[in-house]
Amino acid sequence: MAHYGAKVVVPIDLKKKPWEQKHPLHNRWHPDIPVVAEVKDGEVFRVEMVDFSGGGITSDYSAEDVKHADQSIKKPWEQALPLHNRWHPEIPPVAHVKVSEVFRVEMVDWTGSVIKDDDSAADVKFIDLSTVHYLSGPIRVVDKKETPAMPGDLLAVEICNLGPLPGDEWGYTATFDRENGGGFLTDHFPCATKAIWYFEGIYAYSPHIPGVRFPGLTHPGIIGTAPSMELLNIWNEREREVEENGHKSLKLCEVLHSRPLANLPSTKGCHLGKIKKGTAEWEKIAKEAARTIPGRENGGNCDIKNLSTGSKIYLPVFVEGANLSTGDMHFSQGDGEVSFCGAIEMSGFLELKCEIIRGGMKEYLTPMGPTPLHVNPIFEIGPVEPRFSEWLVFEGISVDESGRQHFLDASVAYKRAVLNAIDYLSKFGYSKEQVYLLLSCCPCEGRISGIVDAPNAVATLAIPTAIFDQDIRPKAGKVPIGPRLVRKPDVLRCSYDGNLPTTKNPAASM
C-alpha cells in the first residue's frame, strides 16, 4: 500500500511569484484574511513556503548538473549522470565543484529502487546483491584557482542539509535470506523479512512494528573518495585472502555466519557510471573495481549514524580531484545496523560543502600499516540529534550461545547483547523478528564497554525507552497483559528454503 507522507494543503510553484500561487500568500496579520485550506484533527498535512523574500534573493551555483539531477524516476544506469556501484580510480567524474560552494547531490536508495512499498518480502529474498550500493558521483573537487585536490590532501566535506527526496517519504528495513546476504544474526533469523516505514516530518512509524515511533537521525551510509590503483590492489589482495582462507583460519566464523567473508571484484551487476558496458575499458575496470560493501581507508560504507546535519568528514585524497561519491541514505539507524539491510533505507539528498586541506594526510593522519595509504578518515559529529533521557541497557560478554568462552571478542559480546535485547523485548508483545528489525534501525546506542579485562569483552546496547507506547522497564509485577500488547500485523516475511542449521538458545523464551 503506497503512502508517501502528508497531503499538500498549501503547494508552492517556484516559477511563480507569491501573488501568483494557487493559494496566494500573505505578508500581514489580520483576522479578516480568509483561509486557503482546511485540515482535520489528527491529520498530517504539508505546507510549502517560499523564502522570506518571496524568491527575490537568488543564488548561482556552478554545480548545477549535480544540484538539479533527478535521480528518483529513472533506473540508476538511465540517469543523466549515471550512477556507479564500484570503487575504482578510473571511474570518471560526472561533475565538478569548487571549494566553499554549497552543492546538492540526489541519490536513489542503495538497491536502486528494487525494494518496493508493498505487502511482500519476496523482493528482499530474491534481490541481486551484485548491484549494490548505487552511488551518486564521482564529483571532482577543485579550489578557487581551479587546482584539483591532489593525493596526500585531506578533503573536508561538511553536511549542510539532507533529507528524503520530496514525494518519496518512505523507507524500509529488512533482513536478507541466509543464503543471499544474511546478516549479523542470520543463524538465528534465516528468513527474508521486511518492514515499511512512513515519515511524519522528523518521525518514523511502521504498520509492521506497531506501538513504536521515533525521530530519525538522517545520514548517508556511504561517503568516500576514490582509491588509487595502489590502494585498490591492497584491498583486493587482503580481501581475497580472507575469502579464500578465512573459513579455515578465523575462529569467529564459527559464531558469525554471514557469508561470503568478503565480496570480491565481479563483472556481474557492475555499473561504472559514464563507462559503457561492453567496451574493453569497461571489461578491464569491472574486473578490478572493489565492491562498496565494507568501509575502508577511503571512508565508504562506514554507516555512522551520527553523520547528520552539521557533521564534517575529513577524507584522505588518493587521486587527482578526490572523486567524491555518496549514497545509501538512511532516515534512521541503530549502531551496528545489525540486520544488514538494517537502517530505514530511503532515497534522499545531501547538500554539501568541501574544503581542501593541502598535505593534510601526512599532517593529520598516521598510517596504521605498511604504507602511507593505510590511514582512516576523521569524522566530526554535528550538533543536531534526537534527545533521549531514559535508556534501557543490555549487556553482552564474549561467551557464545553454546556457552563457549572467547577471548576479548567484541563481536561475540555485541551479538550476545543484541540477542539479550531481542529476547527481553519479545516479552512485551513483539515477535523476535519485529525486535530484530527495530534494533537495527531505531536510534539505539552500541558501546564497547570493556576490552581489557580478560577473558571477557563487554558490549552494551542502549535502547531509548521513549520510542515505545508502553513502559518496557522491569517491574515487581509480571509483564502486563492486554489488547494494547498484541502487536499485529507482524513484519512481512518469506520462508527459508535452505538447509543450513539455525542456532537456538536453549534457555531463551520461545
Side-chain angles (χ1 to χ4, degrees), residues 219-222 293 300-305 328 330 333-334 336-337:
H219 61 279
I222 295 180
I293 305 300
N301 193 26
C302 297
D303 287 320
I304 299 174
K305 67 178 174 59
D328 189 26
H330 298 162
Q333 179 201 294
E337 198 185 13

Side-chain angles (χ1 to χ4, degrees), residues 48 64 84 90 123 178 206 260 470:
E48 299 178 345
E64 290 291 315
H84 63 102
E90 295 175 25
D123 49 4
R178 181 170 179 179
S206 172
Q470 59 178 308

Side-chain angles (χ1 to χ4, degrees), residues 106-159:
E106 298 181 348
M107 57 205 79
V108 297
D109 79 277
W110 75 300
T111 70
S113 302
V114 169
I115 307 302
K116 305 298 183 184
D117 177 7
D118 59 19
D119 296 322
S120 170
D123 49 4
V124 177
K125 179 175 181 177
F126 298 110
I127 187 173
D128 178 5
L129 290 173
S130 70
T131 64
V132 298
H133 304 78
Y134 285 106
L135 304 182
S136 294
I139 299 166
R140 178 181 174 89
V141 183
V142 301
D143 64 20
K144 293 180 180 179
K145 296 181 180 179
E146 300 285 347
T147 303
M150 298 300 292
D153 293 342
L154 270 187
L155 185 68
V157 184
E158 182 180 348
I159 299 177

Side-chain angles (χ1 to χ4, degrees), residues 352-372:
L352 305 173
K353 182 172 68 173
C354 294
E355 298 291 341
I356 298 171
I357 302 175
R358 298 295 183 186
M361 279 180 63
K362 183 177 181 180
E363 187 73 22
Y364 294 107
L365 304 182
T366 301
M368 295 295 173
T371 79

Side-chain angles (χ1 to χ4, degrees), residues 62 96-101 103 141-144 146 354:
S62 66
H96 80 276
V97 297
K98 288 184 179 179
V99 297
S100 299
E101 71 177 0
F103 60 96
V141 183
V142 301
D143 64 20
K144 293 180 180 179
E146 300 285 347
C354 294

